[in-house]
Amino acid sequence: MKVLTIALLLVTGTVFAGSHPKQVVPVKQEKVVSVKVDQEKFVPGTRIKVKFIEVVEDGRCPTDVRCIWAGNAKAKFQFSKGSDTEVVELNTTLNPQTFEFGGYTFRLTGLLPRPRSNIRIKRLGYVAAVSAQKN
């Protein structure tokens, strides 16, 4: 009888535990925009525009070479919302990597193409991925 009672409690406890709603923890969603050099785009769901001005330097390790560190790329962007405009340089691995503007924190999350030792990337060949997270 004790075994049956314990088994019944375990089963009903599992059923009741499974029926309780789980607490949902809000996660801040990142919005990502991909822009080419000389291109300007709105960050999805905002009134903020991002313009990719240029790659200031690209010292990332080429994909066909072994390096002791990943290297760094620095890119210049213009952020604007209405009449507010700011120009900043963001890095892939060095600081500054983030920039706050219009209630969002922006980060350069990707820069394509990756360098190769035998290919020179043309100025207009770059595409940057910039993420925006609401503060």
Side-chain angles (χ1 to χ4, degrees):
M1 186 68 172
K2 286 182 183 179
V3 172
L4 180 60
T5 305
I6 292 172
L8 186 58
L9 286 173
L10 288 174
V11 170
T12 56
T14 303
V15 170
F16 287 133
S19 65
H20 290 292
K22 295 181 180 179
Q23 288 185 342
V24 177
V25 178
V27 177
K28 291 185 177 181
Q29 294 286 324
E30 280 191 342
K31 301 166 186 283
V32 179
V33 61
S34 293
V35 288
K36 297 177 182 179
V37 172
D38 288 341
Q39 185 181 42
E40 184 175 53
K41 284 188 176 179
F42 279 99
V43 175
T46 73
R47 293 183 295 145
I48 300 172
K49 289 191 274 187
V50 178
K51 181 178 182 179
F52 184 9
I53 298 172
E54 67 177 329
V55 173
V56 177
E57 62 184 56
D58 191 355
R60 296 174 295 165
C61 181
T63 57
D64 57 338
V65 174
R66 285 190 172 196
C67 302
I68 57 172
W69 81 297
N72 181 61
K74 181 187 294 187
K76 186 184 288 189
F77 298 92
Q78 175 182 297
F79 293 87
S80 58
K81 182 178 180 182
S83 62
D84 293 335
T85 301
E86 291 197 44
V87 175
V88 297
E89 293 179 350
L90 297 175
N91 293 281
T92 57
T93 55
L94 300 176
N95 287 327
Q97 292 181 336
T98 61
F99 168 69
E100 291 186 13
F101 181 81
Y104 286 84
T105 299
F106 293 92
R107 176 183 301 274
L108 173 60
T109 56
L111 185 63
L112 293 175
R114 296 279 312 166
R116 294 187 54 84
S117 62
N118 59 347
I119 297 173
R120 179 167 163 74
I121 301 169
K122 295 180 182 178
R123 178 184 177 276
L124 296 176
Y126 285 101
V127 178
V130 177
S131 69
Q133 187 168 355
K134 187 107 172 115
N135 293 340

